[in-house]
């Protein structure tokens, strides 16, 4: 990703973050302050079939998609996120509008029930220097036993000139946001509107009256929104400039909280 511009935020705020041509900056452009973007027209394709003996990536091996830079976001034209077809740590990573596969693990986006992604600092160890790890996970419940796809991208994990690790990680997130997260947020919001209390991110309960977690309970009128910062999803109280409640970003579906609260508290 070499062209500076506004791109969907890989840190899960639900808005846009400025890419300066080398790294993600602190500049944000929240989607909630903009009119909805039109969805691009799609050519209908039959749904992919998951098969334990035929990984999702292998089903498409004869028709690889070359990775390209995502188009700069515009409110007049939705960005088109091209698929991924790269090697990460020697294993084939494939993702497109139908699903994601890495090695022998695969899931189609309609079957994904939880997502998580975050950046972590890797300490120096045997054979490697200190650096950043970019982690992406998508799976089905139960969280600690259900099927999942997990990709850990490190500076030396993706060979070739198109192997910027943060670019690969960001592309995975973009595909996930478009083809899984919108559905997950809508499903969770629908359950809450129907009167259910929903456990989100293993630490936050969202219910018709508001949210509660970590011995803190907030009504909808007292919530001003949520932001992702330094590996945590912070919920802000309307009467205070400081966040009052947080959930670790690596928890399942924690990255959905800003969009979910915006939808329920709009």
């Amino acid at each position: 990703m070499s062209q500076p511009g506004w791109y969907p935020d890989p840190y899960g705020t639900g808005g846009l973050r400025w890419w300066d041509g080398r790294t993600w900056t602190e500049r944000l452009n929240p989607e909630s302050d903009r009119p909805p973007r039109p969805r691009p027209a799609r050519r209908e394709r039959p749904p992919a079939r998951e098969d334990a003996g035929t990984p999702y990536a292998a089903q498409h091996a004869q028709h690889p998609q070359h990775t390209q830079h995502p188009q700069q976001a515009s409110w007049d034209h939705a960005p088109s996120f091209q698929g991924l077809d790269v090697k990460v740590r020697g294993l084939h990573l494939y993702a497109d509008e139908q699903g994601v596969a890495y090695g022998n693990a695969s899931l189609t986006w309609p079957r994904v029930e939880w997502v998580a992604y975050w950046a972590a600092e890797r300490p120096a160890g045997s054979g490697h220097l200190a650096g950043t790890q970019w982690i992406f996970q998508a799976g089905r419940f139960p969280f600690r036993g259900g099927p999942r796809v997990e990709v850990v991208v490190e500076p030396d994990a993706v060979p070739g000139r198109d192997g910027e690790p943060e670019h690969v990680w960001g592309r995975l997130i973009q595909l996930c946001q478009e083809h899984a997260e919108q559905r997950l947020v809508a499903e969770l919001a629908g359950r809450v509107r129907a009167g259910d209390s929903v456990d989100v991110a293993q630490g936050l309960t969202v219910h018709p009256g508001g949210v509660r977690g970590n011995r803190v309970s907030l009504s909808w009128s007292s919530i001003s929104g949520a932001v992702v910062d330094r590996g945590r999803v912070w919920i802000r109280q309307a009467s205070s400039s400081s966040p009052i409640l947080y959930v670790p970003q690596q928890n399942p579906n924690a990255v959905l909280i800003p969009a979910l609260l915006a939808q329920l508290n709009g």
Side-chain angles (χ1 to χ4, degrees), residues 159-239:
R161 66 178 182 178
D162 196 38
E164 303 95 331
E166 195 169 2
H167 183 187
V168 172
W169 181 67
R171 187 79 61 78
L172 272 175
I173 292 171
Q174 290 168 339
L175 288 164
C176 181
Q177 287 174 340
E178 182 174 358
H179 301 294
E181 291 185 28
Q182 293 184 37
R183 169 184 57 83
L184 291 172
V185 169
E187 290 175 355
L188 291 172
R191 290 174 57 188
V192 174
R193 291 192 181 107
D196 289 346
S197 293
V198 180
D199 179 24
V200 181
Q202 295 182 334
L204 184 74
T205 299
V206 183
H207 57 89
V211 303
R212 62 176 177 268
N214 195 27
R215 302 180 184 177
V216 176
S217 182
L218 299 172
S219 65
W220 290 118
S221 61
S222 65
I223 297 172
S224 65
V227 296
V228 180
D229 183 37
R230 290 169 294 177
R232 295 175 176 178
V233 181
W234 298 87
I235 297 177
R236 296 185 179 274
Q237 192 173 18
S239 60

Side-chain angles (χ1 to χ4, degrees), residues 59-65 85 94:
Q59 299 173 23
H60 302 270
Q62 296 180 355
H63 305 282
Q65 297 187 19
D85 189 2
Y94 186 94

